[in-house]
Amino acid sequence: MAKQYWLMKSEPHVFSLEDLKNAPNSTTHWDGVRNYQARNFMRDQMKIGDLVLYYHSNCDEIGVVGVAEVCKESYPDHTALDPDSHYFDPKSSQENQRWFMVDIKWEQAFKRTVTLQEMKATPELESMRVIQRGMRLSVQPVEKVHFDKVVEMGTA
DNA sequence: GCCAACGTTGGC
DNA sequence: GCCAACGTTGGC
C-alpha cells in the first residue's frame, strides 16, 4: 500500500514534539485516544512508515510543529485496563479490547510552527480537515498534497 | 476561563 | 431508535 499521511494532535504541556524527541528511541505509544473514529484510523489503517504531522493544540502557538513516523502498528492500549490511569475504561477488558494505539517515532522538527491561522489562510490547504470549524478529531488522515505543503511551509 | 461544537450515554 | 443531558475538546 502507498504511504499514507496523518495528523495527530497533542497538548504540548502533556506531550510535546520535544518530549517525543527526548523519549527513549525518540518513540512513544500513542495512548489515551478514546474516540472511535480516531481509534479506527489507528487500528485499521495506520501502517509502518506512514508519516504524521505533529500538531500542538490548546497552547500559545497552535499548529503543526514537525513530523513523526508510524513505527509500530496497532495493538491494545493497556491504559484502558488500568484502574489508576486517567484513561481507564471499565468497559474495556483483556478479552474484549476496546481501545488501540500505535507507536510513533520522532522524525523532524520544523524550523518554525505552521500555525493554524496560517493554514487557514493558505488556499492550497482549504479542504484540510484540521482547519474546519469544530474539528475535534485527534487522529485524522491528511492528503499528500496537504502534507507536502505543510512540510514545505515549516521547513522553508 | 469561556463557550460553541461535538460525541457519548442512557431513559424512554 | 430518538433525543435530552452531560462531558470533552480546543480555539479564542
Side-chain angles (χ1 to χ4, degrees), chain A residues 88-130:
Chain A
F88 177 62
D89 178 0
K91 291 177 182 165
S92 195
S93 67
Q94 198 66 244
E95 304 74 35
N96 194 2
Q97 297 278 357
R98 178 183 279 220
W99 302 111
F100 291 80
M101 60 190 179
V102 297
D103 287 1
I104 63 170
K105 186 178 176 62
W106 184 89
E107 208 265 335
Q108 67 161 310
F110 288 167
K111 282 193 205 161
R112 61 183 189 83
T113 302
V114 179
T115 64
L116 177 61
Q117 221 177 11
E118 198 182 343
M119 290 193 284
K120 283 181 173 172
T122 303
E124 296 98 305
L125 301 178
E126 196 183 0
S127 62
M128 237 183 129
R129 290 227 210 184
V130 70

Side-chain angles (χ1 to χ4, degrees), chain A residues 11 21 39 62 71 74-75 78 86 114 135 151:
Chain A
E11 302 190 18
K21 187 181 184 180
R39 176 204 68 182
I62 298 161
C71 63
S74 70
Y75 59 107
H78 56 83
H86 176 65
V114 179
M135 187 62 220
V151 171

Side-chain angles (χ1 to χ4, degrees), chain A residues 8 29-46 72-81 87 89 91-103 138-139:
Chain A
M8 290 166 100
H29 44 90
W30 206 250
D31 61 9
V33 170
R34 296 292 179 269
N35 168 284
Y36 289 107
Q37 251 188 298
R39 176 204 68 182
N40 291 347
F41 286 132
M42 289 199 293
R43 188 189 59 185
D44 305 334
Q45 291 187 243
M46 279 195 175
K72 180 174 177 180
E73 289 169 19
S74 70
Y75 59 107
D77 180 346
H78 56 83
T79 62
L81 305 181
Y87 300 119
D89 178 0
K91 291 177 182 165
S92 195
S93 67
Q94 198 66 244
E95 304 74 35
N96 194 2
Q97 297 278 357
R98 178 183 279 220
W99 302 111
F100 291 80
M101 60 190 179
V102 297
D103 287 1
S138 65
V139 176

Side-chain angles (χ1 to χ4, degrees), chain A residues 15-66:
Chain A
F15 198 82
S16 68
L17 182 64
E18 190 67 16
D19 293 332
L20 177 60
K21 187 181 184 180
N22 294 331
N25 300 318
S26 295
T27 297
T28 195
H29 44 90
W30 206 250
D31 61 9
V33 170
R34 296 292 179 269
N35 168 284
Y36 289 107
Q37 251 188 298
R39 176 204 68 182
N40 291 347
F41 286 132
M42 289 199 293
R43 188 189 59 185
D44 305 334
Q45 291 187 243
M46 279 195 175
K47 299 296 173 201
I48 288 176
D50 285 0
L51 294 177
V52 177
L53 295 175
Y54 201 101
Y55 179 94
H56 282 174
S57 66
N58 251 313
C59 57
D60 288 342
E61 204 177 30
I62 298 161
V64 178
V65 293

